[in-house]
Structures are given as structure tokens and as C-alpha cells.
Amino acid sequence: MSKPLNGKTALVTGGSRGIGRAIAERLASDGATVALTYNASKGGADEAVATIKAAGGTAFALQADLADASSIPALFDRLDRELIERNGNAALDIMINNAGNSGWGGLGDATPEAWDAMIAVHARAPFFMAQSALRRLRNPGRIINISSALATRPQPMVPIYSMAKAAINTLSHALAMELGPRGITVNVVAPGWTRTDMNASVRENADIVKAIEGDTALGRFGETSDIASVVAFLASDEGRWVTGQVVEASGGYRL
Ligand code: NAP
């Protein structure tokens, strides 16, 4: 049966859990060969690969700590080897920069070390991932960066995270201009509150949950599949005329 991403290859960072795992599973079910990365959660990555394979898809996992910039060229070398073994070439069609650690803590609690760690994973890594992907991306390719609704509506409880996400929105705009002549689209998907480990502690407080749902037009927390659906659209041929855009997938948070 023909699937929208048959014959395509995709790299999804942070595919061991949460939104990244849902994206990896969705792109694989749409026909792509998926490389998903993990940092600490080898078990989660192996489980994601097993789930994809059980559903008839193709996937493999690669470890990389994206807080460390030097891990990125090494990650792409391993990706090349895996893809050449499977496909006879290392061409990449779709890159999803999703990996990210949560970043609670306001101005008063911040340290230079925490600032560096947050910016390294959320802003520096997508930049250098794009640099390494440049010569591997097949035209017309796709880069999709996972940002946050907080990039454009920052909150005082997460100033560094909000800054880092604003940075990848701007990076995506610049890359869309640079890569447009090659037919490569670059977009941002900006989730609102989505049910993952990242906000498990927030969801323990019923009053906060009620307030978030009350602030959301569609009246609930997002599910990871809600985000994966938007990514799948942008990754497919159906999304070919969308580039340089921030698509907020938040159920209408704080409209
Ligand atoms: P999550 O469930 O906590 O999963 C985070 C993923 O990122 C895991 O796969 C983790 O890998 C990986 N990761 C974290 N630090 C890493 C590092 N240093 N190097 C490599 N990988 C690393 O988070 P999520 O909620 O799915 O978030 C995914 C993306 O969506 C993030 O960019 C986040 O900012 C964004 N987002 C989330 C929400 C939300 O409400 N959940 C809202 C807006 C935006 P390991 O487990 O292997 O360490």
C-alpha cells in the first residue's frame, strides 16, 4: 500500500519518550525509515523501535547527548553508516529537532551552568544539527523544529527555556530562506501543554491543570499524537508550500 512517506528517511531527536516518540512512530507508520535518538533512555528508545517494527515499520536508535556539541558530527557519522547499510546511500529527507529537557526555574534561581545547559540542547543543538544535515538532505527535504508556545508568549517561571525556543523560531526563519532554493522547507511546530514527562509534576496539581484547561480553547491538555499529526503534515508532500512558519499546536492556548 502506498504511504505518504514511502522511500523517505527521517531523523527524530529525542525519540525515546514523549512527543519525539509519537513523531517517530507516526513518521514510520507513514512509511519513512526512522532513526530516532535518545540520551539516557535506552529502554524507551528500544521500546519505540520495537513498537515501530511490530507495526511493520523500519526504525533504529542512536545515542547522543545533544548538550555536547561534539556529539553531533559523531551522530551523523553513525547515521550515515546505518542508512548506507539499509539503503545503499546516506540521503536524509526529514530532520526533526525535538530533543529537550524541561526548564523550570525563574530569574532568581538561575545559574550560568543551567543557562548553558538549556541553551545548548534547545538552541545550539538544532543549529549544528542543521549544519551537519545540509549535505545529507535530499531535495526537496524537510526540517521541522519543535519549539513551544512559550517562544512567543514567554512566562516568568521559564525565562531561559522561553529564550531558547524563541531562538529556534528565528533560526527556522533564517534557514527557510537559505534552503528554499533547494526546495527544502523549514518550519516550527510549537506545542502548548502536552501530556508528557516534562510536565508530569505540573499535572499533579489539580488547580493548575484546571487553570491550564480553562486557558485552552479546546479545553484539555494536548496528547503527543496531536503534535505528531501536525509534524506528519509538514513532513509530507501535502506541506510542500509551507515554509518559514511557526505552527502553534496548543488547542488554542491563551487565545
Ligand atoms: P520528554 O517527554 O521529557 O522527552 C524529552 C526527550 O528529549 C527524550 O527523548 C530525551 O531523551 C530527549 N533529551 C533530553 N535531553 C537531551 C539531551 N541532552 N540530549 C539528547 N536528547 C535529550 O519531553 P517532551 O515533552 O516530549 O518534549 C519534546 C519537545 O517538545 C521539547 O523540545 C520540548 O521543549 C517541546 N515542548 C513540550 C511541551 C510539553 O508540554 N510537553 C510543550 C511545548 C514544547 P532521554 O530520555 O533518552 O534522555
Side-chain angles (χ1 to χ4, degrees):
M1 193 179 69
S2 172
K3 295 181 175 183
L5 300 180
N6 267 351
K8 304 281 186 190
T9 56
L11 173 62
V12 182
T13 67
S16 50
R17 292 184 288 126
I19 291 171
R21 178 166 170 176
I23 293 170
E25 291 181 4
R26 174 61 195 266
L27 298 185
S29 85
D30 284 354
T33 292
V34 173
L36 58 92
T37 81
Y38 66 98
N39 180 27
S41 306
K42 183 176 185 322
D46 288 345
E47 210 179 275
V49 168
T51 303
I52 288 170
K53 287 183 174 168
T58 308
F60 56 93
L62 299 168
Q63 196 278 335
D65 179 0
L66 296 172
D68 173 6
S70 72
S71 72
I72 293 172
L75 167 66
F76 275 88
D77 286 346
R78 280 179 286 136
L79 176 68
D80 287 349
R81 285 199 293 276
E82 292 281 351
L83 289 178
I84 288 168
E85 201 179 298
R86 287 171 169 77
N87 303 337
N89 66 72
L92 183 64
D93 297 293
I94 301 159
M95 180 171 74
I96 316 290
N97 284 309
N98 160 82
N101 41 342
S102 59
W104 308 112
L107 180 63
D109 306 324
T111 62
E113 293 73 27
W115 197 96
D116 284 348
M118 184 64 55
I119 299 289
V121 177
H122 286 280
R124 185 176 67 189
F127 183 95
F128 287 103
M129 289 287 294
Q131 185 189 62
S132 283
L134 273 187
R135 71 178 169 82
R136 285 137 168 132
L137 274 171
R138 188 153 51 185
N139 310 341
R142 301 277 188 267
I143 297 178
I144 300 166
N145 293 321
I146 307 302
S147 178
S148 166
L150 296 172
T152 45
R153 291 194 300 284
Q155 294 204 0
M157 61 190 178
V158 279
I160 307 170
Y161 178 83
S162 303
M163 287 169 66
K165 292 304 198 184
I168 62 164
N169 287 13
T170 302
L171 167 66
S172 306
H173 191 145
L175 284 177
M177 290 187 286
E178 180 169 347
L179 300 181
R182 286 177 53 185
I184 296 172
T185 68
V186 185
N187 289 291
V188 169
V189 174
W193 291 95
T194 309
R195 196 183 300 276
T196 70
D197 295 345
M198 188 170 273
N199 48 50
S201 60
V202 172
R203 284 182 285 109
E204 280 167 15
N205 185 321
D207 290 337
I208 299 182
V209 169
K210 208 169 153 199
I212 290 169
E213 291 176 346
D215 256 349
T216 302
L218 294 176
R220 62 167 174 85
F221 260 70
E223 301 297 339
T224 56
S225 59
D226 295 327
I227 311 305
S229 296
V230 181
V231 171
F233 163 72
L234 291 170
S236 75
D237 184 59
E238 296 295 304
R240 64 191 173 276
W241 198 234
V242 182
T243 194
Q245 302 304 307
V246 176
V247 182
E248 185 173 304
S250 67
Y253 182 59
R254 293 209 165 148
L255 291 180

